[in-house]
Amino acid sequence: GAVVSQHPSWVICKSGTSVKIECRSLDFQATTMFWYRQFPKQSLMLMATSNEGSKATYEQGVEKDKFLINHASLTLSTLTVTSAHPEDSSFYICSARDIGLAGPSYNEQFFGPGTRLTVL
Amino acid sequence: GENVEQHPSTLSVQEGDSAVIKCTYSDSASNYFPWYKQELGKRPQLIIDIRSNVGEKKDQRIAVTLNKTAKHFSLHITETQPEDSAVYFCAARGSTLGRLYFGRGTQLTVWP
């Protein structure tokens, strides 16, 4: 199956700093990538849909100025958490759809391994 | 938008027994329903999925059924094993931008 990577896998930072998380599709092209946040023992909550070459679409309640998303190429999307605070500590996961797939696999989303963010 | 409800939130079964997790959805336009298994600290892994033009799909010990009229779909795991213990999420693909709407998850524990 298609492979999605994330970097870093974990990060610890001080309150007030900014953190950038990368999501890459390694062996396929993705016009659309999705960013999720998952708190302990909770479900995946979609933060935004990242579209290559255009502005991201944010879910209601997600601050677009705090969570900056850039999708500059068909294989890379980045999420920057600006001025991070302890309440931003969470597991951030991206996913991507392979635009080259057809048939039954067309709908499938491939998930990255996640990034554990801890803000002190 | 779509609303996905998942039950139960926790499920404990004895090894060898069957486990059933149920989900309902609200948007009749949803057409793709995947199930994911997530182990602690890891990414969700697709275990089975079904499209709206199919009523049932099976892959070895795992099966999914879909009732479009009632807007519900279920995951069935037979002959459960301790390694099946994990959190399972259902999801529905809505009509907007291909996004997935997730259920709240079910913590499945299989006792040896």
Side-chain angles (χ1 to χ4, degrees), chain B residues 10-65:
Chain B
T10 61
L11 179 60
S12 293
V13 299
Q14 203 72 33
E15 182 178 4
D17 288 349
S18 295
V20 180
I21 303 172
K22 299 182 179 182
C23 288
T24 61
Y25 63 99
S26 60
D27 187 355
S28 57
S30 291
N31 56 12
Y32 173 67
F33 307 91
W35 285 89
Y36 294 91
K37 176 183 179 182
Q38 187 180 31
E39 296 176 344
L40 191 62
K42 297 190 176 180
R43 78 183 85 193
Q45 288 186 307
L46 178 69
I47 56 172
I48 197 166
D49 56 10
I50 192 167
R51 299 174 76 183
S52 59
N53 59 349
V54 177
E56 184 174 356
K57 183 176 178 181
K58 189 174 181 179
D59 182 4
Q60 299 184 341
R61 297 187 296 110
I62 296 173
V64 57
T65 58

Side-chain angles (χ1 to χ4, degrees), chain A residues 79-99:
Chain A
L79 167 68
T80 301
V81 183
T82 62
S83 186
H85 288 93
E87 57 266 31
D88 298 322
S89 298
S90 188
F91 192 49
Y92 292 84
I93 309 175
C94 70
S95 72
R97 290 174 62 191
D98 185 344
I99 63 173

Side-chain angles (χ1 to χ4, degrees), chain A residues 50-72:
Chain A
S50 169
N51 302 296
E52 186 267 337
S54 64
K55 292 182 179 180
T57 302
Y58 289 82
E59 294 299 302
Q60 192 171 8
V62 178
E63 300 176 56
K64 57 183 67 177
D65 293 333
K66 180 171 179 64
F67 298 99
L68 301 179
I69 291 173
N70 184 279
H71 193 158

